[in-house]
Amino acid sequence: MSNQTLLNRSLQSVWHPCTQMKHHEHFPLIPIERGDGVWLIDADGKRYLDALSSWWVNLFGHNNPRIKDAIKLQLDTLEHVMLAGFTHEPVVNLSEKLAKLTGLGHAFYASDGASATEIALKMSFHYWRNLHADAKAKPLKTKFISLKNSYHGETLGALGVTDVAIFKDTYAPLLMQSAQMPSPDFRLSAAGESAEDFALRCALALELYISEHHHELAAFIIEPLVQCAAGMAMYHPSYLRRAREICTQYEVHLIADEIAVGFGRTGTMFACEQADIKPDFMCLSKGITGGYLALSAVLTTEKVYQAFYDDSALKGFLHSHSYTGNPLACSAALATLAIFDTDQVIAKNKQKAAYLASQASVFNDLPIKHLRQQGMILAFDVQSKQTKFASACYTAALSQGLLLRPIGNTVYFMPPYTTTESEIDFMIEATLGALRQLL
Ligand SMILES: *Cc1c(COP(=O)(O)O)cnc(C)c1O
């Protein structure tokens, strides 16, 4: 079938995500036929380096033999069984492994990140209600807070704690109210103020708010270290440390949304490790299956779990999704986690991140600001007056054989961990080429 036919059929039959479909009158869809390592290959054989890990999910390249084989093996025994009333080895193995990695437990599964956010919010709210019966009653704790410019997904509950205007404003009348705390994004610091001093100043504002409102607050949900969707806004780990102390002091849950930053992205297995904190809930998804299948999980503490453990059904967490704990997805996750162990991924990524940093210094010769890095995320803000910089840069990069998708004026790399030094060189060269077309 000709490409053009496929593109037309796609535009007729598929409603593409995060897209004004009419824009495709000017921006053609790209028909990807196969993937190989960091490369996406279209129907004409043109190759694109996937510098965003296909929107932050693909950790070990496309067509990864180990993850693929694990799924194939699982496919021969059990593709799916409902998880209410039943269990299976992949989900038990994965839950034990995640508990060992996070220090939390009782993994509750869903299929995407937004659902993990919903689950954490509902569990936190329900926890305070379950305590209602005894002396520890906290029935008024029904509200949530998040950071300015936060992103926690786009279902109605998750959107209620998200703070990105283009995703949220249209739906505002439908959403639960939540308050946003100042973001410790160090680009917002005062002249001469260190990232840490700024983080602590923001933590002070958080403390003031929580000290006044804790009686009605169920939880504070936060993206640890990097607010990715805000344009790779990075901040000092001292903010997390203080947030943990303040939440503990005032009995407010801390929900760590590690959906984007978990699984090695920031240089440690989980971003929370860099502040040496343990949240009350951790949301995981995106990289968890290496980008192979939809899976998310929420992990929590023994204390939270025990508040639900009761003779009464209504005290239980009566939430479910049809594909909860899908064995194929769990086996992909187990294969992904095995790669971390056998290939010493965290240690090797340190060298890779250092190489990326050294090569990316060439961007300082361009009109950019805030070249910044946190592990395997590198970003900078382009000073361009072009109103449609992001889409122009996206198009220019594609012409160079590179998949980049700037957020506003922020250009970022979030490549698969299998990206080689020569592929990093290609990524930088192609980005320079694209920016030269625009600046
Ligand atoms: C992507 C993302 C989500 C939502 O995950 P989906 O699978 O897209 O629903 C939530 N939180 C963060 C931090 C994310 O980056």
Side-chain angles (χ1 to χ4, degrees):
M1 182 192 322
S2 85
N3 264 342
Q4 211 46 49
T5 314
L6 183 71
L7 298 189
N8 285 334
R9 284 173 56 206
S10 190
L11 292 176
Q12 292 302 319
S13 62
V14 182
W15 200 331
H16 292 266
C18 203
T19 298
Q20 167 50 269
M21 291 299 290
K22 191 165 194 293
H23 289 173
H24 278 307
E25 290 176 7
H26 308 292
F27 292 96
L29 284 164
I30 299 164
I32 294 300
E33 219 162 62
R34 55 193 191 88
D36 184 26
V38 298
W39 299 95
L40 294 166
I41 300 151
D42 78 8
D44 297 325
K46 185 165 166 50
R47 293 155 69 83
Y48 305 91
L49 191 148
D50 186 356
L52 1 162
S53 301
S54 279
W55 247 352
W56 321 346
V57 300
N58 186 292
L59 299 189
F60 298 117
H62 299 277
N63 198 20
N64 182 292
R66 289 163 72 179
I67 304 173
K68 197 166 68 173
D69 287 349
I71 297 170
K72 282 183 178 168
L73 204 62
Q74 182 58 38
L75 202 49
D76 281 335
T77 52
L78 178 68
E79 82 299 338
H80 186 65
V81 61
M82 56 191 280
L83 202 63
F86 294 86
T87 194
H88 51 82
E89 205 167 316
V91 79
V92 174
N93 287 344
L94 180 60
S95 305
E96 288 175 353
K97 182 81 189 166
L98 290 175
K100 203 183 269 175
L101 287 170
T102 61
L104 297 165
H106 306 291
F108 195 102
Y109 293 94
S111 308
D112 51 46
S115 300
T117 299
E118 302 284 344
I119 288 163
L121 298 177
K122 281 179 72 179
M123 272 186 182
S124 171
F125 167 86
H126 197 164
Y127 170 89
W128 299 116
R129 264 181 99 82
N130 274 351
L131 293 186
H132 184 32
D134 28 61
K136 294 175 282 184
K138 305 277 181 199
L140 299 176
K141 287 167 98 54
T142 61
K143 295 193 172 156
F144 300 97
I145 55 175
S146 61
L147 287 182
K148 197 114 194 65
N149 302 322
S150 59
Y151 183 91
H152 300 291
E154 295 177 52
T155 52
L156 292 178
L159 202 52
V161 288
T162 285
D163 184 46
V164 179
I166 54 162
F167 301 138
K168 182 169 192 176
D169 286 0
T170 307
Y171 308 100
L174 296 178
L175 304 178
M176 71 172 170
Q177 300 295 308
S178 68
Q180 275 63 53
M181 304 295 111
S183 167
D185 173 0
F186 77 75
R187 292 174 299 174
L188 305 172
S189 61
E193 189 178 32
S194 74
E196 182 166 24
D197 285 347
F198 180 60
L200 292 172
R201 182 150 69 85
C202 292
L204 224 50
L206 173 74
E207 184 170 18
L208 186 65
Y209 188 90
I210 291 185
S211 70
E212 285 173 359
H213 296 271
H214 61 93
H215 56 279
E216 58 177 26
L217 292 180
F220 174 34
I221 182 166
I222 187 169
E223 297 154 271
L225 294 188
V226 189
Q227 294 181 280
C228 297
M232 304 300 149
M234 298 180 185
Y235 61 86
H236 196 279
S238 285
Y239 185 84
L240 289 175
R241 219 157 15 237
R242 281 298 296 138
R244 174 67 279 181
E245 287 165 5
I246 296 162
C247 285
T248 302
Q249 180 183 349
Y250 289 100
E251 289 194 275
V252 172
H253 286 143
L254 182 66
I255 302 172
D257 176 351
E258 294 240 10
I259 290 166
V261 294
F263 302 105
R265 191 47 77 178
T266 66
T268 45
M269 195 61 173
F270 300 104
C272 281
E273 292 168 27
Q274 294 185 46
D276 200 17
I277 60 155
K278 200 151 105 178
D280 299 289
F281 299 91
M282 191 184 278
C283 301
L284 299 171
S285 189
K286 291 212 162 103
I288 191 169
T289 63
Y292 268 72
L293 287 163
L295 182 72
S296 64
V298 177
L299 292 131
T300 190
T301 62
E302 194 59 34
K303 185 175 176 187
V304 167
Y305 181 75
Q306 287 304 332
F308 289 78
Y309 199 82
D310 194 88
D311 290 327
S312 155
L314 290 180
K315 276 197 164 192
F317 191 59
L318 305 185
H319 179 107
S320 67
H321 297 282
S322 306
Y323 285 95
T324 295
N326 176 260
L328 294 171
C330 290
S331 62
L334 284 164
T336 300
L337 293 174
I339 295 174
F340 276 97
D341 287 341
T342 56
D343 294 8
Q344 287 130 18
V345 170
I346 299 292
K348 290 207 179 115
N349 275 359
K350 284 201 171 48
Q351 293 159 25
K352 210 157 273 187
Y355 184 77
L356 179 60
S358 69
Q359 300 311 102
S361 62
V362 294
F363 293 117
N364 281 319
D365 298 334
L366 299 174
I368 65 140
K369 279 203 303 200
H370 302 305
L371 182 68
R372 56 194 180 277
Q373 185 181 21
Q374 183 63 253
M376 290 296 280
I377 307 173
L378 186 134
F380 54 87
D381 303 339
V382 176
Q383 295 177 290
S384 160
K385 296 215 167 38
Q386 214 163 339
T387 48
K388 299 213 163 115
F389 171 79
S391 59
C393 183
Y394 167 77
T395 305
L398 284 177
S399 75
Q400 304 276 338
L402 177 67
L403 171 52
L404 273 189
R405 203 180 148 112
I407 301 172
N409 276 24
T410 299
V411 170
Y412 72 89
F413 304 123
M414 227 202 233
Y417 305 156
T418 47
T419 313
T420 62
E421 291 194 351
S422 66
E423 286 163 344
I424 289 175
D425 294 346
F426 177 91
M427 191 169 80
I428 305 259
E429 272 307 311
T431 305
L432 282 172
L435 290 173
R436 283 197 197 106
Q437 288 181 36
L438 302 174
L439 297 172

